[in-house]
């Protein structure tokens, strides 16, 4: 499978291609936590998650109490505070370079 259209032969494109379809946990500036599969990251840094849900967090102990399904969502770059990428045991190495697009 080749690079997605528009990302051929670029370092950033190669890093992004390795993140596509990975499960992300995105923290946004209003305190919400959104989880889903990365389906798009545009040139402005906006993220589209497929099969997303909001994790509702208990204020007292910080655990996820339930999940609210949301479907596909767009998260504006300006609203995002941090992003976590789910990795398997084989990939348990630092991935910070992948997110520095």
């Amino acid at each position: 499978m080749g690079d997605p259209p528009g990302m051929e032969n670029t370092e950033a494109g190669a890093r992004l291609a390795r993140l596509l379809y990975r499960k992300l946990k995105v923290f946004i500036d209003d305190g919400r936590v959104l989880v889903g599969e990365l389906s798009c990251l545009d040139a402005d840094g906006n993220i589209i998650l497929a099969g997303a849900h909001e994790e509702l967090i208990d204020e007292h102990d910080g655990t996820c109490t339930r999940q609210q399904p949301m479907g596909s969502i767009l998260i504006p770059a300006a609203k995002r505070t941090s992003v976590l990428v789910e990795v398997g045991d084989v990939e348990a190495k630092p991935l910070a370079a992948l997110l520095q697009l």
Side-chain angles (χ1 to χ4, degrees):
M1 185 163 131
D3 289 336
M7 292 192 289
E8 300 85 358
N9 301 318
T10 68
E11 183 179 342
R15 288 184 291 181
L16 178 57
R18 290 179 15 213
L19 287 176
L20 283 174
Y21 314 114
R22 293 277 184 108
K23 186 175 181 181
L24 301 185
K25 182 179 279 195
V26 182
F27 298 83
I28 56 177
D29 63 2
D30 64 3
R32 291 185 292 159
V33 178
L34 306 172
V35 179
E37 186 179 275
L38 177 65
S39 62
C40 181
L41 176 69
D42 69 15
D44 296 323
N46 301 312
I47 292 175
I48 295 178
L49 296 180
H53 65 267
E54 178 181 356
E55 289 190 345
L56 302 171
I57 308 297
D58 184 291
E59 294 178 12
H60 301 290
D61 64 9
T63 60
C64 177
T65 57
R66 69 183 179 99
Q67 298 177 354
Q68 178 66 42
M70 300 182 80
S72 292
I73 58 171
L74 181 134
I75 304 168
K79 296 291 186 184
R80 194 176 68 231
T81 60
S82 64
V83 178
L84 298 177
V85 179
E86 183 178 274
V87 296
D89 292 338
V90 174
E91 302 167 309
K93 61 182 182 178
L95 291 176
L98 285 175
L99 295 174
Q100 295 174 356
L101 300 174

